[in-house]
Amino acid sequence: MPAEQTNSLANIFHPASIAVVGASSSASETGWVRRLRDFGYQGKIYPINPKTKEIQGLKAYPAIRDVPAPVAYAILNIPAAQAPQAIRDCAAKGIKFVHCYAAGFSENGTEEGKQLQAAISRIARESGIRLLGPNCMGIYCPASGMTFGEDFPKETGRIAFISQSGAEASRLVFLCRDVNLHFSKVVNYGNATDLDESDFLEYLTHDKETDIIGLYIEGIKNGLRFMSAVKQCMKTKPVIILKAGLTESGAGAAAFHTDSKTGSQAVWQAFFKQTGAIPAQTMDEVADILQGLTRIRKPAGRRVAVIGRGGGIGVVATDICERAGLKVPPFSHETQSRLLQIKPDAGASLRNPVEPKLGMEGAADFYLKGLSIVDEDTETDVILIQMAVDIYGGHTADLLQNVSEAAYALCAAADSIKKPIIAALFAGGRIDTVQAVTAARDILSKSGIPVYSGVESAARALSKISNYYQFLDSVK
Amino acid sequence: MPAEQTNSLANIFHPASIAVVGASSSASETGWVRRLRDFGYQGKIYPINPKTKEIQGLKAYPAIRDVPAPVAYAILNIPAAQAPQAIRDCAAKGIKFVHCYAAGFSENGTEEGKQLQAAISRIARESGIRLLGPNCMGIYCPASGMTFGEDFPKETGRIAFISQSGAEASRLVFLCRDVNLHFSKVVNYGNATDLDESDFLEYLTHDKETDIIGLYIEGIKNGLRFMSAVKQCMKTKPVIILKAGLTESGAGAAAFHTDSKTGSQAVWQAFFKQTGAIPAQTMDEVADILQGLTRIRKPAGRRVAVIGRGGGIGVVATDICERAGLKVPPFSHETQSRLLQIKPDAGASLRNPVEPKLGMEGAADFYLKGLSIVDEDTETDVILIQMAVDIYGGHTADLLQNVSEAAYALCAAADSIKKPIIAALFAGGRIDTVQAVTAARDILSKSGIPVYSGVESAARALSKISNYYQFLDSVK
């Protein structure tokens, strides 16, 4: 990859100054100017609007050419039909990066839309402008203060996300925030008439602020280039891909969303097999996998120790794990004997799954005394903690405290455990169980334990993470 | 099925009087006596405890034989080793139904446990007692005031659930309560040394208080009898079965839970194919299917109209539906033209999926004006409403009100819609989005619209319900 290009894309995430063309003059509306300023963007912001003199306390200019200083980046907040002229104006001003926020191009299926897209594409190419979009939300980069969501977290993380969908990218930011997981950079690039998934993936492969890269993709412009970019990235960073539009109906929907040719299932199956990229089917699953990759070390294998409410809940958890491609084998005899010493009353529940005690009270005690024994078990590789908080709602007066204490005990015990630990918390729908689970989720995730909404999502993520490490081993 | 047996099992759900053998004398503990009394059981309760004179304001008796009136039903709240003698005492007293709550029988894998179970089984058989358990929670029947969960709803419904797991049965009761769905009868029968799944299924097939029957099963005592009971029931009532322990690891776990032989996957696949019973893999899925069966009429086919946040969220929803065995085809040209008349600004989003408008504000308006158009579309059979509330958290001041209004509008519109309507609400993890979704869930479910936590669960339930109706058509 040419170093020049790497350098240049850095300016999209960290531009020194931004012109907002078509800046909203409404005081009540949260437009781009206010959003950037409120989020903490530190560079210069130049509102462009011929109808007003001031926007959000900043001097507004009638046209781009009137800005009295160089501009690094422009956001076009104007109707599609005005975009070609605006890009010419940006070129005349010497702007190198333009984000075309507007929709109404080739994705709407009209001849006019297609021609408009062809026009902006040609103008950008001829004038050396790199174009982001059209039909997209652009950049979220907490380190530089750029955002397209006014309530996105200001915390920085080490995950980058490249998305053809703005709404799905927003969902991911929120899903991750709920488990205290944050981003280095998110880009929503829409119709990708110029800058596309491969440009961003190649750039982020070498980005020092990024350890893991996820993508939401409907269509690929250049399959060979993308495959090569993914293979290259996988050498140092895991790549997770939600390939949308893989079904017949989904392909039709994608065509009308971003005018994408989605490709066949067979082609994509081969792609995932060859590259080892981690496939995800929903954004919730992307978030689940990101959590696991960020927070657990490589599991030695696929054998899971299940600890938590046992009985039928344990049996169902075991089935779920095995259907997801994991195993829940009995502990070694030695482990079972040692567990029996700390829990002589437990009887049948020490085989795996383990049931520390009915109710949450016994859980904390078991984490502190029993986890180190399970850690040394030779028959299991990963520890899955189940907290079926949903069945204690209503009749447990101090549920929030019990569950929080259990979560703190798990964090304390986890420090000295070598096996990866993941947790599944069942929230239910009662206010008391939801609050208890929210508190526990916060405690555990801040302490670096991945937290899932159930065994299904936990097992699915764990299995895909295991596949990833298996792939890495296979290509060593 | 012998009428006598039907009559007799009615006494298990509606006993005229209950003796609690080993009633807890602790004032703080919620024992069986207090639970029954607080829940509203109207019959006589006789606490049996030789160490005290009074329990929860009721006269306590030293032994069963001391009760001065006939007793219809006994709950044995005593250690396993004392169970054989207690059952002899019950027989001497003329009690016909005994619920052995205690664990510590064959499920614990010891010779002693097996012998104890054989003993109580033999004693019950010889003395004409029908035995429930051991190792089980027994009966929940809101109409008679019997319960094993102190905060189970007192509302009655038309669903019966037969469960080998008490914890999973409890989870189901709570999962259903969250969507205002209630039960006629729930039974947790544990090791099934006498009364088993077939006994209860045969009884409930003819129960006038029950329309739908679900089962959580680890092992079956008599496969042919059970298959015949399911076939018989399916003629008038749908049967949903969570067969646990179907995987290798799961079978091991089940053996140690209820000492069940779980059977092979191949056998169970054939079973589901032949009987048409609806298979579920988790209790959440059981609740999802129960909701759909209770609340929507038979769909004309598997083609889904998806209405809600579009873009990438619509594409992913479409993929999820198709992977679940549904279709999301484009609307007819006529439908698209008619929708364009009420939403001339929408452009590309009227094809299916439909995006009424960004934000929740446009949703209510679309439900009132657009649903009747979608109802007449010839290319779709079912309407799936997506509310991606999770992406509006934080920056939407009146989110609770917006979402509630949208829910009310949907209820109002739904009244005149012929196609089945289901809703998927994305709650996210923020307190404002969770509250908005909780409110909408309550509004919609009280109005009879099935509510799911996401498109995945909605599509999965809808597909299985479609399978069920297809089976019914095939055996007509």
Side-chain angles (χ1 to χ4, degrees), chain B residues 226-246:
Chain B
F226 183 66
M227 181 177 264
S228 151
V230 171
K231 281 183 178 171
Q232 191 62 33
C233 187
M234 285 284 289
K235 290 179 185 170
T236 52
K237 301 177 183 180
V239 177
I240 303 161
I241 302 177
L242 197 174
K243 174 61 187 76
L246 269 187

Side-chain angles (χ1 to χ4, degrees), chain A residues 393-410:
Chain A
H395 60 277
T396 309
D398 42 6
L399 187 67
L400 178 63
Q401 195 189 327
N402 281 344
V403 174
S404 298
E405 279 172 12
Y408 281 121
L410 180 56

